[in-house]
Structures are given as structure tokens and as C-alpha cells.
Amino acid sequence: PATATFNQLLHAYAVATRASDAQAIVDDMITQGIDVDHITMGTLVNAYAKARQPDQAQRVVDDMISRGIEVDRVAFNSLL
């Protein structure tokens, strides 16, 4: 499956406030060598924000920065 397919699944988990499931998907993507992009990680930030886990959301943003992934305004706004 392509990154876009996984991103759609992540979005569904974010809407359902199932952040731990979204994290598991991202972990699997990384393990399988599937590219994670700013949409993937921004959706994960959003999932943690909706689940009221701001420390985890910040951890994902820190991971984005360390991976050289742009922290776009959507991800940033999710932290607010």
C-alpha cells in the first residue's frame, strides 16, 4: 500500500480519537520502509491532540523535526 492509503487510515483513527492505533500504523510504516511524510506525521499529531495527549503530540513534532519533515501549519495548529 502507498503512503496515501495509510494516511487515510490514520485520519480515520484520528477522527475516532484512537491515537495509539494511529501510532501503531506509523510504527509499522517505518518498520516496513514506507515513507512517512508531513501528512502522515501531521495526522498523527492531530490524533494525539484530539485524544487530549499533548505531550505525545509534541513528541511527534519533535520526531518530525529530527527526521527533517516539515512541520506545517496544520500540525502546528493541532498543538494549540
Side-chain angles (χ1 to χ4, degrees), residues 6-47:
F6 283 107
N7 289 347
Q8 291 175 345
L9 181 57
L10 289 171
H11 177 74
Y13 281 139
V15 169
T17 63
R18 293 175 56 183
S20 61
D21 291 325
Q23 181 67 62
I25 295 295
V26 173
D27 292 344
D28 286 345
M29 290 174 70
I30 292 168
T31 299
Q32 294 177 31
I34 298 169
D35 288 334
V36 294
D37 58 17
H38 71 282
I39 296 170
T40 306
M41 300 301 276
T43 304
L44 186 57
V45 171
N46 190 29

Side-chain angles (χ1 to χ4, degrees), residues 17-80:
T17 63
R18 293 175 56 183
S20 61
D21 291 325
Q23 181 67 62
I25 295 295
V26 173
D27 292 344
D28 286 345
M29 290 174 70
I30 292 168
T31 299
Q32 294 177 31
I34 298 169
D35 288 334
V36 294
D37 58 17
H38 71 282
I39 296 170
T40 306
M41 300 301 276
T43 304
L44 186 57
V45 171
N46 190 29
Y48 278 121
K50 287 184 182 220
R52 297 189 175 156
Q53 298 179 35
D55 292 342
Q56 291 294 74
Q58 181 62 57
R59 181 191 54 78
V60 175
V61 169
D62 293 343
D63 188 37
M64 291 173 75
I65 293 167
S66 72
R67 291 176 179 276
I69 297 172
E70 174 189 4
V71 181
D72 62 9
R73 65 182 169 89
V74 175
F76 181 77
N77 286 339
S78 292
L79 290 176
L80 302 178

